[in-house]
DNA sequence: TATGATAGGTCGAAGGTCAAGGTATGCAAT
DNA sequence: ATTGCATACCTTGACCTTCGACCTATCATA
């Protein structure tokens, strides 16, 4: 699968991060790798996108972070979802469903 | 339907415009209205988004424009798809399908 | 000790979106 | 006639996101 480098669609990044963290707390590069994995390399999140997003979401109260140890014995900052973040995930998931349905309708028409 | 006013997702605007024009040539406000219609007000394209996009797409060779008369006897600039634009529509439709599938997979997981 | 992989991060450029405006024309009502 | 409204085109400036390119530090290993 040639990595599709198109600009990551605005808004998809947040919901992808939230979803990954809903399964388990992870550190930054772990999140990035997991997103590539679950989307078959359709979404490749670069550091320049990832870290500003994480900081923004933490400031919004969707995440909290704490230092810990990675699987490879390295200092790593683990992010975990808050209750607010879980609500946000629900909202964004619903919004995505709506957008997806609208696009399917729009692109199907003869 | 409360108009969902999230930032228009980057990339969706182009494919929506291309698709609308694939059915028939239209002028700017007509395109905007048609998009609102076929997406049940999920996407509301503002002039500040629409016109820069049209100009950008025309410059890219996906569209051509010519002055004519609107349904209401007003001077209107009609945009129509070029062959290149039709190819682009195909590409972006495929890309959207891929993105949509990837998101569905990512958001479904337990 | 040097290298590579892992981990976190920043910075500036580039580009898209939006809200708010501006211009002009046709039409209808006063 | 002139006022007002809807249609039609478009621009501007602020804001935000994304990206590519970079930097630092630590651990394991050769």
């Amino acid at each position: 699968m040639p990595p599709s480098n198109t600009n990551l669609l605005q808004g998809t990044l947040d919901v992808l991060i939230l979803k990954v963290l809903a399964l388990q707390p992870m550190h930054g590069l772990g999140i990035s790798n997991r997103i590539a994995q679950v989307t078959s390399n359709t979404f490749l999140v670069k550091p320049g996108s990832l870290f500003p997003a994480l900081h923004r979401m933490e400031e919004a109260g969707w995440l909290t972070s704490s230092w810990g140890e990675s699987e490879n014995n390295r200092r790593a900052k683990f992010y975990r979802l808050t209750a607010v973040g879980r609500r946000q995930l629900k909202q964004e998931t619903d919004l995505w469903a709506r957008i997806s349905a609208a696009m399917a309708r729009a692109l199907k028409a003869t």
Side-chain angles (χ1 to χ4, degrees), chain A residues 2 10-11 15 17 21 24-25 35-36 41 47 49-50 57 62 68 72 75 78-79 91-92 100-104:
Chain A
Q10 238 176 275
V15 71
I17 292 176
L21 291 181
Q24 59 173 317
I35 288 179
N41 292 337
S49 306
L50 179 68
M57 294 166 78
W62 304 349
N72 302 314
R75 183 172 147 281
F78 285 83
Y79 293 89
Q91 275 185 24
E92 300 212 7
S100 182
M103 287 294 286

Side-chain angles (χ1 to χ4, degrees), chain A residues 11-82:
Chain A
T12 54
L13 182 54
D14 286 12
V15 71
L16 284 172
I17 292 176
L18 289 171
K19 180 63 182 183
V20 163
L21 291 181
L23 304 184
Q24 59 173 317
M26 295 191 86
H27 55 80
L29 294 197
I31 295 170
S32 180
N33 293 334
R34 177 61 59 88
I35 288 179
Q37 185 192 359
V38 299
T39 65
S40 308
N41 292 337
T42 302
F43 295 101
L44 300 177
V45 183
K46 312 299 167 44
S49 306
L50 179 68
F51 290 107
L54 287 173
H55 298 157
R56 171 169 43 82
M57 294 166 78
E58 187 171 11
E59 188 161 6
W62 304 349
L63 316 174
T64 56
S65 65
S66 56
W67 289 98
E69 285 254 319
S70 82
E71 320 78 59
N72 302 314
N73 291 28
R74 278 175 190 78
R75 183 172 147 281
K77 191 189 275 186
F78 285 83
Y79 293 89
R80 99 187 48 235
L81 231 62
T82 63

